[in-house]
Amino acid sequence: MPYQPIDSYGVIGDMHSAALVNINGSIDWLCLPRFDSPSVFAAILDDQKGGYFRIHPVGAEDATWKQYYWPGTNVLVTRFLLPEAAAELVDFMPVGPDMRFTPTRRQVVRRITAVRGTLRLRLVCKPAFNYARDPHSVEINGRGALFRCEATGLELLSSVPLAVEGDAVVAEFELSAGETAAFALCEIRHDARVESLPVDAATEEAFRVTVKYWRDWLSQSTYKGRWREMVERSALALKLMTYEPTGAIIAAPTCSLPEEIGGVRNWDYRYTWLRDSAFTIYALVRLGFQEEATRFADFLQHIASHPAKDGSLQIMYGIDGRHDLTEETLDHLEGHKGSAPVRIGNGAFDQLQLDIYGELLDALFLFNRDVRPIGLDVWLTVTRVVNWVCANWQRPDEGVWETRGGRQHFVYSKLMCWVAIDRGLRIAVDRSLPADLVRWRETRDAIYWEIMDKGWDEELGIFVQHYGSRTLDASNLMMIMTSFLSPGESRAKRLIDTVMKLPADGGLVVNSLVYRYNLEHTVDGLSGEEGTFNLCTFWLVNALARMGRTDPNRLDDAILIFERMLGFANHVGLYAEETGASGQGLGNFPQAFTHLGLITAAINLDRAIEGVPDVR
């Protein structure tokens, strides 16, 4: 089956794992039992070896395919529309407190119903365990089929007869209007209760419970702004990317989807980045999801309270808090449309990135201010982090973009060191907590003056990417959002004006979309190209929204760019990491950071339009 575009998928999940379902009815990515487990379907990374689970009409070359989410849920509906018939395929991973259907096993439910006429359908379930490295056996039983390999296995429960075809199971069956066929693919676990209900009745019950769960969860949202539909879809996507046992939020449920088709910029994003923490807390709190914000803050506190021997923190962690994310390549897989290598693990986990301390402390500052006051244990963590930053902020690092071209004095890293100390000071002063205030203030002020001196290029009118360079970096837009710069001061205005120019003229913007930096003037240690970076576009919107409180033209620009960016979401409102030159999604999908950026941009735009005071 030919590769499908990265952005032609919807995603379903149960806060333990997630599956990508193509608009043609094929599940081409699934890891069980967790986000970071080896894949059982990975056709999106190798269409011959990777494995897939597809249901589709037979001989339907003239079929039209449509896909949407059941309103207010993460239940995905795929429609097959033929001239003489139509069917709907409903996909979900069951969740909910009243789930009777195999509640202790991770599973994917697929229910297909003929809604008009009669049509013949074909099912192919072809797993490829452990990233297509482990062989498996197949057997048919009275409930469906069993797939077994040495380490794990799957059971496919089916309401129609199945047949073995090589290492896959297949079925062809006919449905007339009103008839439904039901399937459930479950992990095999020896300690799991086996469901005795017929699969059609059990999956119908699971559907109703799951729909209720998602609608009840979304009803907690307090967002009533102008872009409610897109904000709620982003919130639902973020919830899907939350690992329920710990509260961690992954960057994306996929690995090695390329930032350039045929290129080498292919990374594993199934982990939690400290980089995302402040945006996550801000978005969750502003949307009213206090429980999720609290659980994520608790996860951050847990990992921050276990630093390395030198006091440093990693830039990312496993969803269970583990430290070792050793990177390896899977050379037996060809990669999405030939984009090799396929990587699992992430070699950047042991990089030095000084920005993470600012993002962590900003998150805890927001939590302390907007959710609940922090206690002694968290304050001890805060003071340890601030003291470490005071001692280490002058070091060069790899920077927020995890470059592999050598350490530099990145301006964004220095900025976030300033943020770390500033937020520690704010908590200390507001709560009258004990701290070395003199040292903290002196260090914070020293960072400020050094950035203004070494980070600013007066001739170009920009804060440069790193000391000694003469190129832009979109991450410096955060100067405005973190209150390092006043939105009305001249340096902020000149920075924005230059960013908004075309790359050929020294800027970073094309058709309102923002590149993170100019590859022609940046040594990042990698070959190839990349698309515009979706998060950076939302950063520009946020910066313009802040400036728009006193400059109506800036606010108009922010609204225009934001609404144009909404048009680059895929057919079900999801975003990959980047947008290519033809508007296609690139990189891992869907990406939490992009959806966090959308939420914060929408909230800040609403507040700017309504004249609500800005706080940070």
Side-chain angles (χ1 to χ4, degrees):
M1 185 176 64
Y3 287 106
Q4 304 301 306
I6 291 171
D7 56 3
S8 64
Y9 290 86
V11 63
I12 58 175
D14 61 0
M15 286 82 72
H16 288 78
S17 185
L20 265 58
V21 186
N22 195 263
I23 198 169
N24 68 7
S26 182
I27 296 178
D28 291 342
W29 179 257
L30 173 64
C31 299
L32 289 175
R34 308 191 331 179
F35 294 112
D36 56 354
S37 297
S39 65
V40 295
F41 301 126
I44 198 168
L45 294 180
D46 193 311
D47 64 350
Q48 298 299 313
K49 301 175 185 175
Y52 62 92
F53 182 6
R54 188 179 183 194
I55 301 174
H56 64 99
V58 175
E61 291 77 11
D62 56 348
T64 299
W65 318 81
K66 294 185 180 295
Q67 201 172 56
Y68 67 97
Y69 280 105
W70 202 272
T73 78
N74 280 313
V75 175
L76 192 66
V77 181
T78 305
R79 285 180 174 166
F80 309 120
L81 305 174
L82 289 76
E84 72 286 352
E88 286 189 347
L89 174 62
V90 176
D91 287 309
F92 61 96
M93 296 181 74
V95 290
D98 303 319
M99 189 66 62
R100 289 195 300 158
F101 179 52
T102 56
T104 59
R105 295 200 282 174
R106 308 269 70 80
Q107 59 197 282
V108 173
V109 169
R110 316 200 75 184
R111 292 173 55 84
I112 186 160
T113 302
V115 295
R116 176 172 58 86
T118 298
L119 67 169
R120 190 158 189 82
L121 297 143
R122 178 173 172 82
L123 172 150
V124 180
C125 184
K126 184 179 174 63
F129 293 97
N130 190 17
Y131 307 107
R133 291 184 291 193
D134 293 351
H136 65 267
S137 63
V138 189
E139 62 180 270
I140 302 296
N141 60 23
R143 295 156 52 88
L146 291 172
F147 304 91
R148 296 185 186 274
C149 68
E150 184 175 345
T152 186
L154 294 172
E155 181 177 20
L156 177 60
L157 307 178
S158 173
S159 65
V160 303
L162 302 173
V164 177
E165 191 174 280
D167 59 357
V169 296
V170 300
E172 286 203 10
F173 53 97
E174 195 171 88
L175 294 178
S176 297
E179 294 179 338
T180 296
F183 311 91
L185 186 71
C186 314
E187 60 169 335
I188 293 177
R189 284 184 41 190
H190 299 297
D191 61 341
R193 177 174 62 82
V194 176
E195 178 57 51
S196 59
L197 291 175
V199 66
D200 51 355
T203 56
E204 172 63 21
E205 177 185 304
F207 167 75
R208 294 179 182 277
V209 172
T210 300
V211 167
K212 183 178 186 303
Y213 171 86
W214 287 119
R215 287 181 170 170
D216 287 349
W217 180 81
L218 190 60
S219 68
Q220 301 173 65
S221 173
T222 57
Y223 181 79
K224 309 298 181 187
R226 294 159 178 78
W227 299 283
R228 183 172 175 178
E229 182 177 356
M230 289 298 291
V231 167
E232 290 186 345
R233 177 49 52 201
S234 291
L236 285 162
L238 288 176
K239 182 64 172 175
L240 269 188
M241 289 183 269
T242 302
Y243 183 56
E244 184 63 25
T246 64
I249 297 177
I250 58 172
T254 57
C255 69
S256 277
L257 294 183
E259 298 173 17
E260 176 191 22
I261 300 300
V264 300
R265 297 168 182 262
N266 318 316
W267 317 109
D268 191 346
Y269 275 16
R270 297 172 297 163
Y271 309 113
T272 292
W273 267 254
L274 288 186
R275 175 190 65 194
D276 304 359
S277 55
F279 282 93
T280 302
I281 295 292
Y282 182 88
L284 292 173
V285 170
R286 287 288 177 266
L287 294 181
F289 296 114
Q290 300 280 342
E291 179 182 349
E292 284 74 15
T294 299
R295 295 204 66 214
F296 185 60
D298 289 344
F299 176 78
L300 293 175
Q301 154 62 12
H302 172 74
I303 59 178
S305 63
H306 295 83
K309 291 181 180 179
D310 65 355
S312 64
L313 299 174
Q314 291 184 187
I315 69 169
M316 69 184 87
Y317 294 83
I319 54 178
D320 54 2
R322 76 183 188 280
H323 292 235
D324 186 3
L325 307 177
T326 301
E327 183 175 295
E328 62 177 300
T329 60
L330 303 180
D331 296 329
H332 66 288
L333 298 178
E334 75 167 11
H336 180 80
K337 297 185 178 180
S339 305
V342 171
R343 295 183 176 94
I344 58 173
N346 198 307
F349 79 93
D350 60 356
Q351 284 189 350
L352 176 65
Q353 291 184 24
L354 295 175
D355 64 280
I356 63 172
Y357 302 96
E359 288 137 0
L360 172 65
L361 267 294
D362 199 22
L364 295 178
F365 164 77
L366 293 169
F367 184 81
N368 175 77
R369 186 189 69 189
D370 298 334
V371 181
R372 71 173 186 222
I374 61 174
L376 173 62
D377 289 343
V378 181
W379 181 242
L380 290 174
T381 298
V382 170
T383 56
R384 184 170 57 248
V385 169
V386 174
N387 286 329
W388 190 92
V389 171
C390 287
N392 290 274
W393 71 271
Q394 292 175 309
R395 297 168 63 183
D397 70 345
E398 275 88 5
V400 64
W401 305 127
E402 297 162 19
T403 60
R404 302 192 179 193
R407 293 182 178 180
Q408 298 284 352
H409 288 283
F410 287 100
V411 171
Y412 178 75
S413 298
K414 307 301 184 189
L415 165 69
M416 297 312 290
C417 287
W418 179 92
V419 170
I421 302 172
D422 178 76
R423 299 322 188 242
L425 279 165
R426 291 200 202 186
I427 298 173
V429 172
D430 179 62
R431 297 278 308 284
S432 299
L433 295 173
D436 190 349
L437 297 182
V438 172
R439 181 193 186 201
W440 290 10
R441 286 194 179 106
E442 288 178 350
T443 308
R444 181 193 61 181
D445 294 349
I447 298 172
Y448 178 89
W449 289 117
E450 182 171 295
I451 291 173
M452 289 300 188
D453 177 31
K454 296 182 179 179
W456 174 256
D457 187 305
E458 178 64 27
E459 180 183 349
L460 296 177
I462 61 170
F463 286 95
V464 295
Q465 184 179 59
H466 58 79
Y467 296 168
S469 69
R470 303 201 72 206
T471 189
L472 275 169
D473 193 306
S475 62
N476 290 336
L477 291 168
M478 284 292 291
M479 290 181 171
I480 299 170
M481 290 132 68
T482 57
S483 299
F484 179 87
L485 289 179
S486 164
E489 68 177 280
S490 62
R491 289 191 175 189
K493 294 177 180 178
R494 292 179 68 187
L495 173 64
I496 287 287
D497 288 339
T498 307
V499 167
M500 292 181 67
K501 294 179 181 179
L502 291 168
D505 298 326
L508 295 174
V509 176
V510 175
N511 190 28
S512 295
L513 304 179
V514 183
Y515 289 93
R516 53 182 176 173
Y517 47 74
N518 191 323
L519 278 171
E520 293 184 6
H521 303 290
T522 299
V523 179
D524 61 10
L526 297 166
S527 61
E529 302 292 328
E530 62 180 20
T532 54
F533 209 78
N534 294 331
L535 173 66
C536 294
T537 302
F538 290 124
W539 278 353
L540 177 59
V541 172
N542 276 305
L544 288 168
R546 286 210 160 195
M547 301 177 81
R549 294 175 181 277
T550 56
D551 185 342
N553 292 328
R554 300 287 191 183
L555 185 56
D556 288 343
D557 288 341
I559 295 170
L560 175 65
I561 293 171
F562 181 74
E563 294 189 333
R564 185 172 286 166
M565 183 61 185
L566 296 183
F568 286 96
N570 83 340
H571 59 288
V572 289
L574 300 177
Y575 289 90
E577 182 176 31
E578 300 181 6
T579 299
S582 300
Q584 75 276 27
L586 294 171
N588 285 302
F589 174 88
Q591 202 212 27
F593 217 175
T594 300
H595 288 279
L596 287 167
L598 186 153
I599 292 170
T600 57
I603 291 169
N604 287 331
L605 276 176
D606 282 320
R607 293 168 69 89
I609 292 169
E610 294 163 7
V612 177
D614 198 11
V615 291
R616 186 67 174 190

